[in-house]
Amino acid sequence: MNDAILTWLQRLVQTPSVTPNHAGPKAFTPGEGAMATVVARAFQSLEADEIIYDPVLPKRDNVYGIWYGESPEVLLLDVHMDTVGVEQMTIDPFAGEIRDGRMYGRGAVDTKASLAIALGLLESHIASGKKLPYTIMIAASVDEEEGGFGAAALARWIKQRQWRPLQMIVAEPTECRPVYGHKGLVRQFITVHGEAAHTAQPHLGKNAISAMAQVILALDAEHQRLQQLPATGLGHGTLTVSLIEGGRGLNIVPDACQIGIDRRVIDGEVVDDVAAAIIALVEAASPLPVTVTPATYGDAFYQDPTHPWVQAVADFHHTSATSAPYGTNAYAYGDLADCCVVYGPGSIAQAHTADEWIALSEIDRAADFYRHWWGLHA
Ligand SMILES: [Zn+2]
């Protein structure tokens, strides 16, 4: 184990960075502010050629560090600074305790270990006095666990700079397997508008719940239709009615009914088209007026797994590339880099848990890969 990596990881875990919507009394100051300060100071002490604050949300900036190398080709790492909440944790979330070959704490596996590896390796490299072979950019981003606004800002910034990174890693715990794809999503609220009346005379009202029943059946049929389509690289799209609310009392014809839906989007689908198709479908199905409000939209992430670099990452660890059942910042990174994978040490099974931890051996494995990726020599 590289001591510098472990020291950085402990410092990062000891710096609370709970995403604001998850923050309770145990989270200290919500948000990534303290982390951003630690990261910016780290970039400074590691002699970054550029340190950039990219404003994303009020008091929540992405922090970018750039180190120019012999080659202008850019290797880009996106690592999110925020974590999920800590209220239900059974360990001290911010102690950074090392025990039984593991580091415990909120964010240890998701995803501060990847940032610690990057900082630790740069620290060792700078001590060597050599120039980096490639230009390295570390993007410490905000808001991954909530709205994904940090990722959108990073994508915007890279395009404005007119950069096209040669290779990009989105840091998440993948057990050191390159992840080449995951589904995107379209989440919407659908409201059917009826008219209230006394249930003794229901013909005087317009029943929004009964109308919504028609909408739900149409959405379920749409899910079934999606399963009949030929599978793509990411399989099939899905559509789930996941929330429902409506009615005001047992003796009132309901004037409104609202549902929430979660549509998983595959490669080749365009989220705006999918969203528009759902609107058309519910309008056709509902006998009463209906409105659709967008909640979250994110494109599917799909990197051609036959790309040589995807293969190279897999080969390095004697494994194979895989797709992920969960979403990541890579929603925002379609066509941003020549090749992009989600990758990192540790398992998603330990992410968001009550006793989050990462195995130190996993950190070693990923650090070996980063050294190889950046062309550093131990
Ligand atoms: Zn994560």
Side-chain angles (χ1 to χ4, degrees):
M1 170 64 58
N2 174 326
D3 286 344
I5 294 174
L6 207 55
T7 305
W8 279 115
L9 180 55
Q10 207 155 32
R11 194 173 308 170
L12 298 177
V13 168
Q14 288 169 352
T15 307
S17 57
V18 175
T19 213
N21 282 3
H22 287 219
K26 295 183 189 164
F28 293 95
T29 306
E32 303 87 347
M35 264 288 277
T37 302
V38 169
V39 170
R41 283 198 192 129
F43 289 170
Q44 205 166 21
S45 73
L46 298 173
E47 301 168 15
D49 294 301
E50 285 187 62
I51 300 171
I52 294 139
Y53 289 87
D54 189 4
V56 180
L57 294 160
K59 294 190 176 174
R60 301 176 71 192
D61 296 354
N62 287 347
V63 185
Y64 308 144
I66 299 168
W67 290 257
Y68 295 122
E70 281 161 24
S71 162
E73 295 279 20
V74 176
L75 307 183
L76 172 57
L77 168 66
D78 168 34
V79 49
H80 67 85
M81 293 187 284
D82 58 325
T83 69
V84 293
V86 297
E87 303 306 314
Q88 81 289 22
M89 289 192 82
T90 54
I91 57 163
D92 181 341
F94 307 123
E97 190 194 355
I98 299 166
R99 168 163 56 86
D100 307 327
R102 298 168 172 178
M103 159 86 70
Y104 284 84
R106 180 56 88 220
V109 76
D110 185 13
T111 203
K112 295 182 178 184
S114 291
L115 181 54
I117 289 169
L119 298 176
L121 291 185
L122 283 169
E123 186 175 317
S124 309
H125 178 78
I126 281 154
S128 79
K130 288 185 222 147
K131 193 156 187 189
L132 288 161
Y134 294 95
T135 295
I136 288 170
M137 174 168 173
I138 301 176
S141 53
V142 298
D143 195 42
E144 191 273 341
E145 301 291 0
E146 198 57 44
F149 287 105
L154 172 60
R156 237 181 354 255
W157 191 90
I158 293 287
K159 284 174 192 158
Q160 259 166 21
R161 186 91 177 219
Q162 294 182 310
W163 271 4
R164 188 172 170 81
L166 182 68
Q167 291 151 355
M168 175 172 187
I169 283 180
V170 181
E172 291 294 350
T174 70
E175 297 176 89
C176 297
R177 287 183 79 177
V179 167
Y180 62 80
H182 57 68
K183 288 175 183 174
L185 47 87
V186 169
R187 288 181 177 153
Q188 296 165 318
F189 292 106
I190 298 167
T191 308
V192 169
H193 307 277
E195 234 174 82
H198 198 295
T199 48
Q201 294 176 302
H203 60 280
L204 297 179
K206 290 177 180 165
N207 192 321
I209 290 179
S210 296
M212 186 61 92
Q214 305 295 314
V215 172
I216 292 171
L217 289 174
L219 292 167
D220 283 352
E222 172 65 1
H223 171 78
Q224 292 305 330
R225 186 188 71 82
L226 294 170
Q227 309 320 299
Q228 307 310 316
L229 299 176
T232 67
L234 294 177
H236 293 95
T238 59
L239 203 173
T240 305
V241 178
S242 46
L243 288 173
I244 188 162
E245 195 178 290
R248 297 180 185 278
L250 282 172
N251 56 354
I252 303 171
V253 175
D255 61 339
C257 181
Q258 189 181 62
I259 60 169
I261 63 159
D262 177 304
R263 166 75 154 82
R264 296 294 160 131
V265 175
I266 52 176
D267 47 311
E269 291 187 313
V270 178
V271 288
D272 289 338
D273 296 350
V274 169
I278 294 169
I279 293 169
L281 184 136
V282 301
E283 282 175 349
S286 176
L288 292 176
V290 58
T291 50
V292 178
T293 317
T296 314
Y297 291 0
D299 284 307
F301 161 57
Y302 189 72
Q303 163 67 54
D304 180 352
T306 66
H307 190 288
W309 190 60
V310 180
Q311 293 298 319
V313 180
D315 290 347
F316 187 88
H317 289 298
H318 310 287
T319 181
S320 56
T322 184
S323 61
Y326 50 85
T328 73
N329 269 352
Y331 288 131
Y333 303 146
D335 209 38
L336 196 67
D338 277 357
C339 188
C340 177
V341 295
V342 181
Y343 169 91
S347 167
I348 196 79
Q350 275 89 52
H352 304 192
T353 58
D355 66 341
E356 180 172 348
W357 54 268
I358 183 166
L360 303 186
S361 59
E362 276 286 298
I363 299 176
D364 274 338
R365 291 211 302 148
D368 284 345
F369 172 73
Y370 269 76
R371 227 176 258 120
H372 169 79
W373 182 35
W374 287 352
L376 310 179
H377 296 287

